[in-house]
Amino acid sequence: QQQVKQSPQSLIVQKGGISIINCAYENTAFDYFPWYQQFPGKGPALLIAIRPDVSEKKEGRFTISFNKSAKQFSLHIMDSQPGDSATYFCAASKGGSYIPTFGRGTSLIVHP
Amino acid sequence: GAGVSQSPSNKVTEKGKDVELRCDPISGHTALYWYRQSLGQGLEFLIYFQGNSAPDKSGLPSDRFSAERTGGSVSTLTIQRTQQEDSAVYLCASSRGLGNTEAFFGQGTRLTVV
């Protein structure tokens, strides 16, 4: 059973465009929703995270939008740059159990 | 060290052999995780250690997989009688544990079973 569903599997965007990656979860006990960025040959690194008490969090060009009632959250990358080309994973974890459950990842390519 | 360190970075082994993968977490991190990353399959949880508590082994795919964590620090993931389907990147992560859920990942060990 896939607890965190991520889409799309791959995404191609032109430089300067907006990249949007979506995730949906099933377990209402989840209370921490991070996004990780992974470059080839490297381990994932935390990019931005949100807790369900807010609907949006912005850090620079990266924004998480969170819809608690729909059990969905998304990552928006504004003014996408070729250096943003990477694999992005959404994840979710629940209080008392700090084991993140990851989505299957989105391969983002930003063309110059 | 400054980050999570894994060794070896690459391992090629023959089917049926045993392998050991090592993880050095960030100093002071009480939580340690092992994940497996297969092409197109995302990150598959394997096992979780938190302090001195019994590990959560719920993600181990078979009894050929085991892991230990000595002295609350270094961890070793052992795969016995390796199979070709074990080929993947094995990632280790650590975190401060309770109250802080940011996981810091190592760069992984790429295991190839031939």
Side-chain angles (χ1 to χ4, degrees), chain B residues 39-112:
Chain B
L39 191 62
Q41 296 300 311
L43 298 171
E44 176 188 6
F45 166 72
L46 298 177
I47 188 169
Y48 166 64
F49 297 88
Q50 171 56 54
N52 295 320
S53 302
D56 181 336
K57 304 179 182 181
S58 60
L60 294 178
S62 77
D63 58 7
R64 296 187 295 106
F65 288 72
S66 64
E68 63 177 16
R69 188 178 184 190
T70 55
S73 181
V74 172
S75 177
T76 303
L77 176 69
T78 301
I79 308 173
Q80 295 178 312
R81 305 181 302 281
T82 51
Q83 303 295 313
Q84 288 186 331
E85 60 263 29
D86 299 334
S87 296
V89 175
Y90 290 82
L91 290 161
C92 175
S94 70
S95 76
R96 290 195 183 95
L98 297 177
N100 185 315
T101 52
E102 178 180 356
F104 294 81
F105 283 84
Q107 66 181 27
T109 294
R110 180 175 296 279
L111 175 66
T112 304

Side-chain angles (χ1 to χ4, degrees), chain A residues 32 36 38 41-44 46 51 89 93 98-100 102-104, chain B residues 33 35 37 42-43 45 48 56 91 98-99 101-103 105-107:
Chain A
Y32 178 69
Y36 284 80
Q38 184 180 30
K42 303 292 186 182
L46 180 68
R51 296 193 184 273
F89 293 95
S93 61
Y98 299 97
I99 304 171
F102 286 85
R104 291 192 171 181
Chain B
Y33 317 77
Y35 284 85
Q37 184 172 23
L43 298 171
F45 166 72
Y48 166 64
D56 181 336
L91 290 161
L98 297 177
T101 52
E102 178 180 356
F105 283 84
Q107 66 181 27

